[in-house]
Amino acid sequence: MTYVITTAAAAPPTAAASDNTGLALALLVLIVAIVGWIGLRSLVRSLRARKAEAAVGGRFPDYALEALVNAAKIDGRVNDEERAAIARAMTEMAGPSFDAARVDSAFASARLNKDELVAYLAARAGAFTRDEKTALLKALLGVFVADGRFDESEHAALVDYTAAVGFDRKSAPDMLRGLARDFARGNIT
């Protein structure tokens, strides 16, 4: 009788140990999947940043021109006001020697998408000065509102650029909406 009680008492812990092994295995698979996902995202972001770096050669003015051209095209419409906003912004960022004809050639040869440009900015944010990053965000906003509209795709892109520069992604939308209103009223030039 003592033997039967011992066997009966030993059976449930063996089943529980089996359940714990399955739980541990499931947890391990989940951790491996999360680490793999993070690694894949980092790899894709790195590849995008490298493509952008190869296209702009690491120079801030060349990067800014690509970003501004992409910004003008992001809503599917490009007009003369946006082209003029790009030329003004580039003259401010690159200096008076900037040739405004480069804007038209940049539109003709635009080869980077927003994700590549944002990945490059995030990777190189430490290499650019605060003044350069601020000038870029101001120029992006100027291009986005140049046509008199500031739609959701433009807003989302500006939030992405703002986050890539290093500003807080959660407070950025409200800050940017306020800036867009001020910019449209002529309070920011």
Side-chain angles (χ1 to χ4, degrees), residues 63 67 70 114 117-118 121 137 140 157-165:
Y63 168 77
N70 182 269
K114 181 192 67 86
L117 293 162
V118 168
L121 183 58
L137 292 178
L140 285 165
L158 192 55
V159 169
D160 289 343
Y161 279 106
T162 303
V165 164

Side-chain angles (χ1 to χ4, degrees), residues 167-180:
F167 292 149
D168 178 33
R169 190 173 188 87
K170 292 183 184 202
S171 64
D174 293 331
M175 177 188 72
L176 293 172
R177 281 190 184 97
L179 285 173

Side-chain angles (χ1 to χ4, degrees), residues 1-2 14 20 36-39 47 62-63 70 72 75 97 99-100 105 107 120 130 148-149 164-165 167 169 174 184:
M1 186 158 195
T2 307
T14 305
N20 285 342
W37 174 249
I38 291 170
L47 292 173
D62 294 335
Y63 168 77
N70 182 269
D75 64 357
S97 64
D99 181 13
S105 66
F107 272 100
Y120 176 78
R130 180 173 174 76
R149 293 185 289 260
V165 164
F167 292 149
R169 190 173 188 87
D174 293 331

Side-chain angles (χ1 to χ4, degrees), residues 18 43 47 59 64 82-83 88 133 135 143 147 154 176 180 184:
S18 167
L43 176 66
L47 292 173
R59 288 181 19 106
E82 290 169 321
R83 288 175 187 271
R88 279 191 307 274
K133 293 184 277 190
V143 170
D147 62 0
E154 293 168 329
L176 293 172

Side-chain angles (χ1 to χ4, degrees), residues 40-93:
L40 181 63
R41 285 187 60 200
S42 294
L43 176 66
V44 168
R45 193 174 302 131
S46 175
L47 292 173
R48 286 177 175 163
R50 281 191 220 145
K51 179 180 177 187
E53 185 167 11
V56 299
R59 288 181 19 106
F60 179 77
D62 294 335
Y63 168 77
L65 182 57
E66 282 282 334
L68 295 174
V69 166
N70 182 269
K73 294 166 57 174
I74 210 159
D75 64 357
R77 304 175 301 268
V78 177
N79 61 32
D80 292 336
E81 290 85 11
E82 290 169 321
R83 288 175 187 271
I86 293 170
R88 279 191 307 274
M90 289 307 302
T91 301
E92 288 179 22
M93 285 189 274

